[in-house]
Amino acid sequence: MSENSTKRYRIGYALAPKKVQSFIQPSLLNLAKERGIDLFPVQITKPLIDQCPFDCIIHKLSDREWLNQLEQLVIHNPNVVVIDRPEAIERLHNRVTMLQVVNQMEIACGVSIGVPKQVFVESPESLIDSVAPRDLSFPVIAKPLVADGSASSHQMSLVFNEEGLRGLKLKLNPPFVLQEFVNHGGVIFKVYVAGKHIQCVKRRSLPDISEEKLGVSENLVSFSQISNVTAQDQSDEGVATLTEAAELPPSSFVTEVACQLREALKLNLFNFDMIRDNRVGGRYLVIDINYFPGYAKMPSYETILTDFFLDIVQKKQSVVSKDN
C-alpha cells in the first residue's frame, strides 16, 4: 500500500530541547513515517488548541502554563489522547509516593518484589534521629525528595555512618529520603515500559559493600549517576564482566511487575530500576521509577516506540469508529 493511501496519524510532542535531541532521532522519525505516523513538535509559545488536529500528544513538561494548555485541549478536544495525564506523572516527582504502589503488588510467579527501607527527612534537625528509630541500617543512600529530572534531583550521596549523616547536612538541602543500601551484585536492571511493550536491560551499579569495607570506608560519597560510581578496587573491565555475567530476572516476572505498575500508576511511558536482593533468594527491590526515561538507550527503541504509538492511535480509531 502506498504512503499516500495509508491512514496517517498525527502525534505532537512537547519535550525539553535536551529530550528532543536524545529521543526525536531521524531513525525514529523515519520509521514512524513509514508506518503512517507523523511526529510534530508542539510550539510551546503558541496556543495548543490552535495547533490541532492531533491524534495524540506525548509530553514531559510540568510548568503551569503548559499544564493549563493541556487541560484546555482535553476539554475542547476530548478525542485527543494525552500520554500521560499530568496528575499521574506528578506521583513520580516524589520519591516517597512513587514507590508506595510496589508494596501493594501481588506477584504470582514465585518471585517476590518490594522496596528498600527508607525514611523521609524533612529538616536538618531530624536527620540523625531519622535512622535508628526506623531500624534503618548503614550504609544508606540520600536522595532528594523531588525527582523531576533536573540536575539537582540526581545529586545523591552514599552515607556510611552517623558522621556521614552530619556531613550530609552540607551536601543536600532537605527534604530528602534516606534509602537503605542493599547489596545486589553491582548490577541494576532497568525495565523500560511503553504501554504493553516491555524491555529489561542490565547496567552496572554501586558495588556491594562488605562489613569490612563498611568499617574503613569514607563517611560520605556523593554522586549523580549510580553507574558512575565503582569501588576503588574494581577495574572498569571487572565491572563490565560482572554486569555481563549477571542473569536477567525471569521474563514472566518482569512482565507481571511492569503490567501491575502500569495499571497502578496509570502511566504508559516510564521505566523502573530494580535490583536483586542478595540477602533473600528470589527477591527483587524497586529503587526508583522514572517518567519518560532515556528510551534511546534501549536496543531497538525506534521499533518499540513506533509499535506503542500505533497501539494508541489505532485503539483510539477503533473507539471512535464504534461511537459512530
Side-chain angles (χ1 to χ4, degrees):
M1 185 178 290
S2 69
E3 183 179 301
N4 291 335
S5 62
T6 303
K7 167 66 177 175
R8 304 206 65 78
Y9 300 97
R10 180 179 165 99
I11 295 181
Y13 58 87
L15 306 169
K18 187 175 180 181
K19 176 64 73 172
V20 171
Q21 184 177 11
S22 65
F23 181 71
I24 307 295
Q25 296 186 11
S27 55
L28 175 63
L29 291 172
N30 293 336
L31 180 60
K33 186 175 182 179
E34 287 175 12
R35 300 182 66 186
I37 293 175
D38 298 313
L39 292 167
F40 286 90
V42 171
Q43 302 299 316
I44 307 301
T45 57
K46 298 179 181 179
L48 185 55
I49 292 178
D50 293 347
Q51 300 178 63
C52 289
F54 292 111
D55 292 290
C56 175
I57 293 282
I58 60 173
H59 68 106
K60 193 180 182 180
L61 299 175
S62 57
D63 62 273
R64 177 45 53 190
E65 176 58 30
W66 166 252
L67 297 180
N68 288 339
Q69 291 220 38
L70 208 53
E71 184 177 353
Q72 290 302 309
L73 176 72
V74 171
I75 291 172
H76 296 287
N77 296 272
N79 287 332
V80 177
V81 180
V82 175
I83 304 293
D84 282 294
R85 299 309 296 267
E87 59 271 20
I89 298 171
E90 184 63 27
R91 186 174 195 169
L92 297 192
H93 289 168
N94 180 304
R95 283 197 166 94
V96 172
T97 60
M98 73 164 61
L99 297 179
Q100 287 174 340
V101 299
V102 178
N103 285 328
Q104 301 167 11
M105 295 166 56
E106 295 184 3
I107 305 298
C109 59
V111 185
S112 66
I113 191 73
V115 299
K117 293 178 183 177
Q118 68 177 31
V119 297
F120 169 60
V121 179
E122 188 172 9
S123 67
E125 292 73 27
S126 65
L127 182 55
I128 303 298
D129 295 335
S130 64
V131 177
R134 306 295 182 89
D135 195 28
L136 202 65
S137 302
F138 288 107
V140 296
I141 299 178
K143 303 180 177 183
L145 177 68
V146 176
D148 58 1
S150 64
S152 61
S153 71
H154 291 295
Q155 294 303 313
M156 306 179 193
S157 295
L158 184 59
V159 184
F160 292 93
N161 47 43
E162 282 198 13
E163 191 61 37
L165 282 183
R166 295 186 179 91
L168 187 62
K169 293 182 180 181
L170 305 176
K171 295 280 186 179
L172 287 179
N173 292 321
F176 52 81
V177 297
L178 296 177
Q179 187 179 86
E180 191 169 86
F181 176 82
V182 176
N183 282 339
H184 53 281
V187 178
I188 192 168
F189 304 104
K190 302 186 81 69
V191 181
Y192 292 89
V193 180
K196 67 181 182 181
H197 306 278
I198 299 158
Q199 187 168 111
C200 179
V201 299
K202 298 179 288 186
R203 295 285 185 268
R204 73 176 186 175
S205 179
L206 295 172
D208 288 350
I209 301 171
S210 65
E211 289 291 334
E212 293 76 16
K213 287 182 181 178
L214 188 58
V216 297
S217 296
E218 300 176 61
N219 297 325
L220 177 70
V221 176
S222 297
F223 60 95
S224 59
Q225 296 290 337
I226 283 180
S227 59
N228 291 339
V229 183
T230 55
Q232 293 180 354
D233 57 352
Q234 284 184 299
S235 66
D236 284 345
E237 183 178 346
V239 172
T241 302
L242 188 70
T243 304
E244 183 64 30
E247 182 180 352
L248 286 169
S251 59
S252 59
F253 165 72
V254 171
T255 299
E256 191 169 351
V257 173
C259 290
Q260 287 198 32
L261 280 177
R262 188 181 71 226
E263 292 296 321
L265 296 170
K266 295 180 171 56
L267 292 172
N268 289 280
L269 294 175
F270 65 95
N271 79 346
F272 57 96
D273 295 340
M274 187 168 65
I275 59 174
R276 183 181 285 119
D277 188 343
N278 280 4
R279 304 167 303 181
V280 183
R283 180 166 174 79
Y284 291 82
L285 302 172
V286 176
I287 60 174
D288 234 335
I289 307 175
N290 310 286
Y291 185 68
F292 210 136
Y295 283 106
K297 299 175 184 177
M298 178 177 64
S300 304
Y301 98 100
E302 303 92 340
T303 301
I304 291 172
L305 267 297
T306 301
D307 287 343
F308 166 70
F309 293 150
L310 283 171
D311 290 344
I312 293 298
V313 294
Q314 289 175 352
K315 179 181 178 181
K316 171 201 165 182
Q317 185 67 33
S318 175
V319 171
V320 171
S321 298
K322 287 180 182 178
D323 291 343
N324 292 334

